[in-house]
Amino acid sequence: MSRAAKRRFEGSASEPHKVLLSLFKQFGHRYSVHEVFSDFVEIAALSISNSVDRHHAEAREKRYKEIVRRYERVDRERFPQMFGALVQTFEDLVQGWVPNGDGLADVLGQTYMMLELGNDKAGQFFTPYPVSRLMARMNIGDGAPFVQRDGFVTLSEPACGAGGMVIACADALHDAGHNYQQTMHATCIDIDPRCVHMTYVQLALLHIPAIVIHGNALSVEAWSTWFTPAHVVGGWGEKLRFRRRAEAMRELLQSAKRVNETEVGDRAADEAFRADGTPIPAAALRVLVPDDQLALF
């Protein structure tokens, strides 16, 4: 991140966000900032997941203990402080939310870039949130057609990063007068586990219904799945199943309509007339013209 961008951030960041950044830098030289950040977002994701996902709870609790065991007690105690600062950062954003004005933010994406953890060689950059917000408004509009038809909008983000685009879509729906917690569901995928954890934590704290998948969208592989609390308590599994059934029914009806229109067209094309104006049956024509031969008359 450039010096100018850092100065802008320092001038506009909330106090809890500044506290969060300072806590990352208090671990000393024993742990790299990169390691601390990755461990923080993972244990935060594990803690949130275990409050709603009992199926994966045992394995994720074991993983949680493996991570925290690597840190001294004084360092372990910083993690809940960091999580508290993150929660307060989002709380301040929501409290100051003005429609079509100041909105939400990709807090962890900003934090990641402020700590200079981006991988330039891999082309890893987090889209500035104002750009994400503009793109969301251009793509989703006010969401009215989708909400009126299905009751909610579904999003698919195959390279989710920190979840900034999904947050921006929630922002756009809020500006349009919709409650995004009831009218939006996201499916997010990323090949980087750190990005998966960042996305999961942010969407969970904003109570966005979502499924976050650690996987490869190109090879259609999935290694772990994370359900946000909003997805679980909102009964979104059943809502999505109902929508899939409705879409299948619509597709079936549309297919039947297309078949019917094709048959009507075929009948019209098959009709020929005798000299006295009476039609010649299509079956009689097929005797004269083999099915695999192009008829030019």
Side-chain angles (χ1 to χ4, degrees), residues 9-190:
F9 173 83
E10 290 168 356
S12 61
S14 66
E15 285 305 315
H17 200 175
K18 292 177 182 177
V19 169
L20 176 63
L21 280 167
S22 68
L23 287 168
F24 274 113
K25 299 174 182 178
Q26 292 178 20
F27 282 80
H29 298 291
R30 184 174 179 180
Y31 313 99
S32 69
V33 177
H34 189 282
E35 179 184 10
V36 172
F37 185 91
S38 297
D39 287 342
F40 167 66
V41 294
E42 184 172 3
I43 63 175
L46 291 166
S47 299
I48 295 171
S49 173
N50 277 2
S51 68
V52 292
D53 186 353
R54 295 303 177 189
H55 180 71
H56 298 101
E58 185 175 349
R60 289 178 178 173
E61 181 66 17
K62 181 180 178 181
R63 174 59 181 162
Y64 176 94
K65 291 178 179 178
E66 288 175 358
I67 296 171
V68 298
R69 197 178 294 126
R70 298 200 300 263
Y71 291 85
E72 298 292 336
R73 180 175 179 178
V74 65
D75 295 316
R76 287 201 301 267
E77 291 175 350
R78 288 197 188 93
F79 285 118
Q81 296 174 31
M82 293 158 68
F83 187 71
L86 178 62
V87 171
Q88 190 58 53
T89 301
F90 276 115
E91 184 68 23
D92 289 352
L93 286 171
V94 172
Q95 292 296 328
W97 206 351
V98 178
N100 300 305
D102 292 336
L104 300 176
D106 178 5
V107 176
L108 286 177
Q110 290 177 345
T111 304
Y112 189 84
M113 298 307 292
M114 283 297 297
L115 294 172
E116 299 181 345
L117 298 176
N119 188 339
D120 296 356
K121 293 181 180 178
Q124 187 180 53
F125 300 94
F126 288 94
T127 306
Y129 187 73
V131 176
S132 296
R133 199 177 184 198
L134 174 62
M135 292 171 64
R137 289 185 176 185
M138 293 172 64
N139 282 291
I140 205 170
D142 62 2
F146 308 101
V147 174
Q148 290 171 4
R149 188 188 70 179
D150 299 313
F152 56 90
V153 180
T154 55
L155 309 176
S156 178
E157 173 58 290
C160 59
M165 274 302 303
V166 177
I167 296 171
C169 287
D171 216 338
L173 285 174
H174 177 269
D175 285 347
H178 300 293
N179 181 346
Y180 69 83
Q181 297 176 352
Q182 298 176 356
T183 58
M184 186 183 91
H185 186 279
T187 300
C188 309
I189 306 171
D190 207 285

Side-chain angles (χ1 to χ4, degrees), residues 242-258:
F242 180 83
R243 174 173 171 165
R244 284 194 292 270
R245 289 194 292 267
E247 288 178 341
M249 182 59 71
R250 278 197 294 266
E251 179 60 29
L252 181 63
L253 293 173
Q254 290 172 359
S255 297
K257 182 180 179 181
R258 287 194 295 269

